[in-house]
Amino acid sequence: MGMYVGKKTEICSICNQEKSRGIHLYTTFICEECEHEMVHTETNDPRYSFFINQLKTAIKSKMYR
Ligand SMILES: [Zn+2]
């Protein structure tokens, strides 16, 4: 983490992978791939609630840090 000079990477809150491209939602980073998947996942898809849960957990853990 933080080893790559000139390339800013962050840990995605959904897949926990280090990515350089993505969006920030509140204080949480979501990589491009996960953001794309979330957008294209139906709200009744079980994966959708997984995404939401991951986000909630990520936001909470940052709040109490
Ligand atoms: Zn991701």
Side-chain angles (χ1 to χ4, degrees):
M1 222 173 112
M3 298 291 211
Y4 305 103
V5 178
K7 195 179 177 191
K8 192 178 171 285
T9 60
E10 285 185 74
I11 303 293
C12 170
S13 296
I14 307 291
C15 63
N16 289 313
Q17 308 267 333
E18 201 171 329
K19 300 286 173 89
S20 55
R21 288 161 66 105
I23 57 152
H24 285 101
L25 193 70
Y26 305 102
T27 52
T28 312
F29 176 75
I30 302 166
C31 77
E32 217 177 32
E33 288 94 331
C34 290
E35 194 242 333
H36 184 87
E37 248 202 281
M38 274 179 85
V39 168
H40 293 276
T41 303
E42 300 290 333
T43 48
N44 61 356
D45 191 311
R47 283 188 308 155
Y48 190 82
S49 42
F50 167 76
F51 287 140
I52 297 302
N53 269 322
Q54 288 291 97
L55 273 182
K56 278 186 187 162
T57 308
I59 290 165
K60 264 188 204 156
S61 68
K62 291 225 168 114
M63 268 170 33
Y64 294 109
R65 195 172 281 169

